[in-house]
Amino acid sequence: MKKTNSTNAKVKKSSRLKANSKRTRRKIDALEKKKIIASLTLMDDLFMQVVLEEQACTEYILQTILGKSSLKLMEQRLQKRLPNLHGRALVLDCLCTDEKGLLYNIEVQNSSAGAIPKRARYHAALMDTHTLKKGEKFSKLPESYVIFITDKDVLGEGEQLYQIERIIRKSGNLFKDGSHILYFNTARQDDNALGKLAKDFKEANPKEIQSEVLSHRVASLKEGKLDREGEKKMNVLLEKYRKKAVEEGIEKGLAQGMQQGLEKGLEQGLQQGLQKGLEKGLEKGQNRLALLVGQLLNAGRMDDLKRVSYDEAYREKLLKEFGL
């Protein structure tokens, strides 16, 4: 009889935990949407993809970086996958073609590791591979531009815009193979067109964005001035953003937290979960982390929210701070 009562009590406790977790998740979802939308900038690659769906925005960015005010695009494809049967495939943030047939690949890179020179080389190589058709002459290969928009000065020489070209070493003349690689360093914000664009890339408030076309687009996305299709795309973006955060950190942090928490006993119920199985322990730990995420969102502490996804010691410090 005692065993049955104990089992029933555990079932009821588990149900309460699930119900609490669902309520917390709903609150977090509402706060999450509001907080995330307010904090997004053009340096967030997922948000950038939605912004660039308005082709005029892509044109403006290319015109400014390349100094070609007359540049007009014929076609653009976002998240274009370039398969490779013999090696690593690529998914390009934005692949464009202008009226002259020139190719442009725009990549937003917040991580220095994501913008190493050999990656730029590989982007250019796969673009070439997927452009020239079987039997076509090499002279038909279009001029191409790989443009990395970086959060920091990846190449470390203090330049605002790096323009990389192959040269003939002895003479210093251009090799003229039609392949161009550019690094736009948004950490340097001079008082010129590129500097203004760099500031716009890091500005979350659309009213402070200096470019009219970018400001209008960002405002329409953030202030909800969208048609049904636009609203759907923003919801998809937010879901992707949430999943990306989970995939890149929160779940990893949670897994580490579970391991440590199971040893220390995150809560009495979690300790019981260790004894009865990892699944129940994870459920309790998720509820605890969800509460922490909710507290951070309520407080508008977005930097702390990102940090807890990878800094175990800091996560434990915040759990104690909020009494969790």
Side-chain angles (χ1 to χ4, degrees):
M1 186 67 174
K2 289 183 179 180
K3 187 175 181 180
T4 301
N5 291 337
S6 175
T7 302
N8 290 337
K10 290 177 181 178
V11 169
K12 290 180 180 179
K13 188 172 185 179
S14 177
S15 298
R16 286 197 302 272
L17 284 173
K18 289 180 180 179
N20 289 337
S21 180
K22 287 180 180 178
R23 283 194 294 271
T24 302
R25 182 68 256 172
R26 284 195 296 270
K27 291 179 181 178
I28 290 174
D29 284 343
L31 287 168
E32 191 177 38
K33 183 174 181 178
K34 184 177 179 180
K35 298 286 187 181
I36 289 175
I37 289 176
S39 68
L40 291 175
T41 72
L42 294 173
M43 288 307 297
D44 291 284
D45 57 349
L46 293 176
F47 185 56
M48 179 65 151
Q49 290 167 27
V50 179
V51 170
L52 292 187
E53 287 182 359
E54 186 169 305
Q55 191 165 293
C57 293
T58 313
E59 283 183 346
Y60 171 76
I61 290 168
L62 288 174
Q63 288 167 355
T64 305
I65 292 176
L66 298 173
K68 297 181 178 181
S69 59
S70 61
L71 186 150
K72 295 295 180 183
L73 294 178
M74 289 292 292
E75 181 185 12
Q76 72 170 14
R77 287 163 286 176
L78 304 175
Q79 286 292 284
K80 170 64 177 176
R81 187 175 188 276
L82 299 183
N84 182 1
L85 294 176
H86 304 289
R88 180 171 178 172
L90 278 179
V91 177
L92 306 184
D93 285 352
C94 181
L95 181 63
C96 322
T97 308
D98 71 7
E99 293 177 325
K100 298 179 181 178
L102 278 63
L103 286 178
Y104 305 91
N105 169 215
I106 301 174
E107 296 290 322
V108 175
Q109 293 292 342
N110 286 294
S111 166
S112 297
I116 63 173
K118 286 188 176 180
R119 178 166 185 168
R121 169 185 164 186
Y122 197 64
H123 276 237
L126 267 194
M127 285 169 63
D128 287 346
T129 301
H130 285 266
T131 301
L132 200 62
K133 297 178 182 178
K134 186 176 181 179
E136 280 191 317
K137 295 180 179 180
F138 291 110
S139 60
K140 295 290 185 181
L141 198 63
E143 200 167 347
S144 68
Y145 292 80
V146 174
I147 303 170
F148 280 2
I149 299 172
T150 63
D151 182 53
K152 298 178 181 178
D153 185 6
V154 174
L155 301 184
E157 296 185 12
E159 295 295 324
Q160 188 177 35
L161 182 67
Y162 295 91
Q163 301 183 61
I164 298 97
E165 306 282 346
R166 289 189 177 92
I167 63 167
I168 301 170
R169 182 173 291 178
K170 188 171 183 180
S171 66
N173 294 328
L174 290 175
F175 185 55
K176 294 183 179 180
D177 61 347
S179 177
H180 314 279
I181 294 173
L182 295 92
Y183 279 67
F184 177 34
N185 170 25
T186 61
R188 178 170 168 176
Q189 300 178 358
D190 296 352
D191 187 18
N192 56 20
L194 282 174
K196 291 177 181 178
L197 181 61
K199 290 178 181 178
D200 284 350
F201 266 98
K202 296 190 174 184
E203 179 57 61
N205 183 355
K207 294 180 180 179
E208 297 298 324
I209 293 178
Q210 300 174 75
S211 161
E212 184 177 346
V213 66
L214 294 179
S215 175
H216 182 271
R217 176 62 173 162
V218 172
S220 68
L221 292 171
K222 289 197 171 191
E223 295 169 11
K225 298 175 181 177
L226 303 168
D227 56 20
R228 183 175 298 179
E229 184 63 25
E231 182 67 23
K232 180 180 178 182
K233 288 177 180 177
M234 276 301 288
N235 287 333
V236 170
L237 164 69
L238 291 169
E239 182 60 20
K240 285 183 178 179
Y241 195 98
R242 187 186 68 79
K243 287 182 178 179
K244 182 180 179 184
V246 171
E247 291 167 359
E248 291 185 352
I250 291 179
E251 273 193 351
K252 292 180 182 178
L254 177 61
Q256 294 170 358
M258 291 308 98
Q259 185 176 0
Q260 182 183 11
L262 288 171
E263 294 170 356
K264 294 180 178 179
L266 291 176
E267 289 181 9
Q268 190 174 15
L270 185 59
Q271 190 65 275
Q272 294 171 356
L274 174 60
Q275 299 168 3
K276 297 297 181 180
L278 180 60
E279 183 176 351
K280 289 184 180 179
L282 286 174
E283 179 184 0
K284 186 67 177 178
Q286 286 173 333
N287 187 50
R288 186 170 180 247
L289 183 60
L291 290 172
L292 175 61
V293 171
Q295 294 277 14
L296 293 175
L297 285 169
N298 272 323
R301 293 167 62 171
M302 300 303 292
D303 290 339
D304 286 341
L305 178 60
K306 293 177 182 177
R307 185 172 173 183
V308 297
S309 70
Y310 60 84
D311 190 330
E312 184 177 326
Y314 193 67
R315 181 171 57 253
E316 286 301 315
K317 178 183 176 182
L318 291 184
L319 286 167
K320 290 179 181 179
E321 176 184 333
F322 286 100
L324 301 174

